[in-house]
Amino acid sequence: MASPGEADVNVPHVEKKKKPPARYWQDREIGGNKDGGRPEQQEKQRTHKAKKRKRDEQPRDGKKVISGKSDPFPGPAPVPKDKLQKFKRQDKIQKPRRQHYRLKDIITRSEEASEMAQKQAARFDLLLPEDAGFLEGDEDEDTCMISQEDIADAVDITSGAKYFNLKLSQFGPYRLDYSRTGRHLLLGGRRGHVACVDWQSKQLMCEINVMESINDVKWLHTEHMYAVAQKKWLYIYDSNGIELHCIRTFNDVLRMQFLPYHFLLATASATGFLQYLDVSVGKEVAAISTKTGRLDVMCQNPHNAVVHLGHPNGTVTLWSPNQKEALVKMLCHQGGVRSVAVDKTGTYMITSGMDKKMKVFDVRAFKPLRSYFLPAGASCLSLSQRGLLSAATGDIVQVYRDVWSTPVTKPYMAHRVRGLVWGLHFCPFEDVLGVGHGEGFTSMLVPGAGEPNFDGLDANPYRSAKQRQEWEVKALLEKIQPELITLDPTELAQVDRTTFEQRHRDRVEALGFDPLAKEKFVPKFKKKGRSSAGGVERRKKQVAHEDQRDIIRKTVEDRTKVEEERMKMEEKKATLSGKRSALDRFKK
């Protein structure tokens, strides 16, 4: 009951809504504080939200944000165009016009991978530790007048130790060969002396005498195997001097070249045969009769693995194991060819002949570029990794620079050895020229000859035994087949459209119809289980058989017509032959 002075008012009861339980993605109340937690945490959240709002409001345009600020140098660092051109592999492949989507996708991916590798190589070129340099004399001083003793005294102790002489007058003259890593030296004396040396540490690996004359020596894929061309047959030895193989099918071998990426040993014999031996399986790949007589001048093109042979009639021929005839025949000299050398890019070929001339040819166009006259002629030629040319005349070794770009009037360096030079070879990745002569071996210092930076995955001079084993397995897996040796290696990445069209025409003639002219029959989809796999295939075969019957019927009709015309022609000839002629009275 209300008091008499108050009105009776009904106040409705209002229930408070319960707050739903906090979910794991919502901010929970800490310690029962309904205002959002402690003041420090609220301030931290407000600061974080303000920074995020400021970062979102800034125009990004794909730029990376560092500490809330835009990157002043966005994207990858630019690469100079000249560096990119240096590592350019090949031009872009023309994509097919027809709907070859899979082929287009493969070509696009290949181009992207090649472009990425080109940019990475150009960027890493800045990080290479060594630079190439040449010998420079004082004012009015000729570098060819500087002796090897002066150079050895001026350089550091390690480099000075690379100039040395081995006096081996009993079994000379000597042929020589450096391993691909440039660390091991192989010597072969004319009178049967063979020696393997780690020439940098001066450690002798093995030394034997084969008791017969030696024509040439050559390292194989590693420094643990080498080939020796002896008087009668070809022998394979290991680094301990143990005879591994005697290959009697290779007889009277005079010169040898090893193709490292194909695992092929190419030999030139006195009987005029060029033979290829696959050292990975011990099988003879090809035996080609050149029909040009004695073959004692030989070299290889490192770019495409084509073998160059020099002949007594002044010609140089180019050979591949895929053909029985020469790929190219070039008339280079008026007399016999004495030596041939090709640079590592496969662009230039240098030859010396009995006419006392040394000529430079462009192998791409097979045209002469330069011609130099040497008073005594050059008996041996060798090219370094940096393009220096060494030429031996008698007992004098001369080194030339830039023989193909500018006319050369004087040598870059010169040195006289103790006997007649019989072999020349530049050491890979070192400024060293090895000279084999009648009195032994001489190691010359030639500044600027070797490539200063090596590829550790291809030829690493400092590799361990485990790294060598891993490299050998990888090289065997990546061995290039001899069928791929061609004059132009870039043709392997292109589609031979002419051959494809010819094969297509032959196929059309053999089948009697063009299999690519009409689109394939696609059966219509039917319901109620009538489009099962077997039903679809039956319908396809039925349509194909009907088309084939029409084509066969047409072909039979054409053959019948041709046969009828042939019979008519034969009857006509028989009728004409049955008639008597006025000339029959002269028959006996």
Side-chain angles (χ1 to χ4, degrees):
M1 295 293 294
S3 60
E6 292 181 357
D8 191 3
V9 180
N10 293 325
V11 179
H13 179 69
V14 179
E15 293 183 359
K16 293 184 179 179
K17 292 183 178 180
K18 291 184 179 181
K19 190 174 181 181
R23 303 298 180 184
Y24 66 89
W25 63 80
Q26 296 175 347
D27 295 328
R28 301 195 178 193
E29 296 178 359
I30 302 174
N33 189 2
K34 299 181 180 179
D35 295 334
R38 293 193 297 269
E40 298 85 2
Q41 190 171 359
Q42 293 179 3
E43 184 67 25
K44 189 175 181 181
Q45 290 177 357
R46 282 197 295 269
T47 306
H48 178 69
K49 291 179 180 178
K51 285 184 178 180
K52 185 177 180 181
R53 191 184 309 112
K54 184 178 178 182
R55 189 163 61 245
D56 293 340
E57 290 175 356
Q58 288 180 351
R60 301 186 66 162
D61 298 330
K63 300 179 182 179
K64 191 175 181 180
V65 176
I66 303 173
S67 302
K69 295 182 180 180
S70 59
D71 187 5
F73 304 102
V79 183
K81 291 185 178 180
D82 55 342
K83 292 287 184 183
L84 285 174
Q85 192 66 25
K86 176 183 176 182
F87 293 98
K88 185 177 180 181
R89 296 186 175 184
Q90 61 182 10
D91 296 331
K92 290 190 175 182
I93 304 172
Q94 184 179 1
K95 296 181 181 179
R97 297 180 182 177
R98 298 182 181 179
Q99 297 180 354
H100 297 286
Y101 301 109
R102 188 175 180 183
L103 178 59
K104 286 183 179 180
D105 186 46
I106 292 173
I107 293 174
T108 303
R109 290 183 182 180
S110 176
E111 289 178 352
E112 289 176 355
S114 178
E115 186 177 354
M116 183 189 67
Q118 180 184 356
K119 288 182 179 180
Q120 286 183 348
R123 283 199 177 94
F124 296 156
D125 190 46
L126 302 173
L127 306 176
L128 295 178
E130 301 293 340
D131 293 328
F134 291 98
L135 182 65
E136 295 183 1
D138 296 334
E139 190 176 355
D140 298 332
E141 183 182 13
D142 252 344
T143 55
C144 64
M145 302 301 294
I146 302 176
S147 65
Q148 287 291 308
E149 288 77 9
D150 296 339
I151 297 175
D153 292 339
V155 298
D156 57 282
I157 298 175
T158 306
S159 300
K162 296 175 182 178
Y163 167 66
F164 60 91
N165 291 287
L166 297 179
K167 188 176 181 182
L168 305 168
S169 58
Q170 187 176 359
F171 301 105
Y174 278 84
R175 297 268 190 207
L176 72 146
D177 185 39
Y178 286 101
S179 62
R180 290 190 65 223
T181 60
R183 190 167 183 85
H184 298 87
L185 172 66
L186 178 63
L187 295 173
R190 179 67 176 171
R191 298 183 179 93
H193 179 223
V194 180
C196 302
V197 186
D198 185 348
W199 69 272
Q200 293 187 2
S201 62
K202 309 298 188 296
Q203 182 180 358
L204 182 65
M205 298 169 62
C206 78
E207 187 177 16
I208 59 174
N209 196 310
V210 298
M211 305 303 291
E212 61 178 351
S213 62
I214 291 176
N215 295 320
D216 200 4
V217 291
K218 187 65 63 176
W219 286 111
L220 299 184
H221 54 286
T222 64
E223 58 272 12
H224 288 269
M225 289 177 64
Y226 59 90
V228 179
Q230 296 178 200
K231 182 179 180 181
K232 293 183 68 175
W233 299 308
L234 177 67
Y235 290 82
I236 307 294
Y237 297 90
D238 69 350
S239 58
N240 296 321
I242 301 173
E243 180 184 326
L244 301 179
H245 304 285
C246 173
I247 307 173
R248 306 197 177 197
T249 55
F250 289 68
N251 59 316
D252 300 325
V253 175
L254 297 179
R255 299 305 300 267
M256 296 186 294
Q257 288 291 329
F258 183 70
L259 311 179
Y261 299 105
H262 304 76
F263 282 78
L264 290 180
L265 180 66
T267 63
S269 66
T271 57
F273 273 85
L274 173 64
Q275 295 173 280
Y276 289 85
L277 175 69
D278 190 340
V279 299
S280 62
V281 295
K283 180 182 177 182
E284 183 181 2
V285 174
I288 305 170
S289 175
T290 61
K291 302 175 184 178
T292 52
R294 183 183 175 89
L295 303 176
D296 57 350
V297 178
M298 183 184 190
C299 81
Q300 66 162 309
N301 188 337
H303 180 62
N304 54 15
V306 172
V307 173
H308 296 230
L309 298 178
H311 306 289
N313 58 359
T315 60
V316 173
T317 54
L318 279 61
W319 297 86
S320 166
N322 307 319
Q323 295 188 16
K324 297 296 182 181
E325 299 293 331
L327 302 175
V328 178
K329 291 183 180 180
M330 299 173 60
L331 181 61
C332 299
H333 294 275
Q334 296 179 355
V337 179
R338 300 182 68 184
S339 184
V340 182
V342 182
D343 75 319
K344 68 174 185 178
T345 62
T347 307
Y348 303 103
M349 178 181 71
I350 294 93
T351 63
S352 64
M354 299 292 290
D355 54 359
K356 300 182 181 180
K357 288 185 179 181
M358 183 175 67
K359 294 184 179 181
V360 182
F361 292 87
D362 189 343
V363 182
R364 297 168 296 182
F366 306 108
K367 293 182 180 179
L369 297 179
R370 309 280 179 195
S371 181
Y372 302 99
F373 179 79
L374 300 178
S379 59
C380 297
L381 297 176
S382 180
L383 276 167
S384 74
Q385 293 176 320
R386 301 285 299 176
L388 295 184
L389 172 68
S390 63
T393 56
D395 60 345
I396 298 176
V397 179
Q398 296 178 337
V399 182
Y400 297 89
R401 278 181 64 182
D402 303 328
V403 290
W404 44 73
S405 57
T406 56
V408 177
T409 56
K410 57 184 179 181
Y412 167 60
M413 292 185 68
H415 182 65
R416 183 186 293 272
V417 294
R418 297 174 181 174
L420 293 178
V421 177
W422 209 49
L424 285 176
H425 203 288
F426 278 100
C427 181
F429 311 112
E430 294 286 349
D431 293 342
V432 170
L433 172 63
V435 183
H437 48 81
E439 295 295 321
F441 171 79
T442 300
S443 178
M444 286 176 54
L445 294 177
V446 183
E451 181 67 37
N453 301 287
F454 58 87
D455 185 359
L457 299 177
D458 185 25
N460 186 1
Y462 307 105
R463 65 189 180 189
S464 62
K466 185 66 175 177
Q467 288 175 327
R468 180 189 58 78
Q469 294 170 0
E470 294 290 340
W471 171 86
E472 190 171 355
V473 173
K474 183 181 177 183
L476 284 168
L477 292 174
E478 296 178 349
K479 183 181 78 168
I480 303 174
Q481 296 300 319
E483 291 80 12
L484 302 180
I485 297 178
T486 58
L487 276 177
D488 187 8
T490 58
E491 292 180 354
L492 300 176
Q494 299 176 0
V495 178
D496 192 355
R497 298 185 180 277
T498 306
T499 306
F500 174 76
E501 293 173 358
Q502 181 63 36
R503 288 169 60 187
H504 179 64
R505 285 197 296 268
D506 296 343
R507 188 181 178 191
V508 170
E509 292 177 1
L511 296 177
F513 67 97
D514 189 356
L516 303 179
K518 187 179 179 181
E519 295 183 359
K520 292 184 178 180
F521 170 71
V522 180
K524 184 180 178 181
F525 180 78
K526 295 182 180 181
K527 297 181 180 179
K528 296 183 180 180
R530 290 180 294 175
S531 284
S532 62
V536 170
E537 289 299 321
R538 280 194 299 271
R539 278 186 280 163
K540 284 183 179 179
K541 287 183 179 180
Q542 184 178 1
V543 174
H545 289 330
E546 290 176 358
D547 295 339
Q548 191 72 12
R549 287 193 193 99
D550 295 337
I551 294 167
I552 292 173
R553 191 180 298 112
K554 185 179 179 181
T555 305
V556 171
E557 290 176 356
D558 294 339
R559 289 182 179 176
T560 305
K561 289 180 181 179
V562 172
E563 188 69 17
E564 291 176 357
E565 291 179 358
R566 190 179 63 81
M567 293 295 293
K568 288 180 180 179
M569 290 295 295
E570 289 180 356
E571 292 175 1
K572 189 175 181 180
K573 288 181 179 179
T575 305
L576 293 175
S577 62
K579 293 182 180 180
R580 293 185 60 82
S581 172
L583 301 177
D584 290 344
R585 65 181 183 272
F586 298 105
K587 294 181 180 179
K588 293 183 180 179

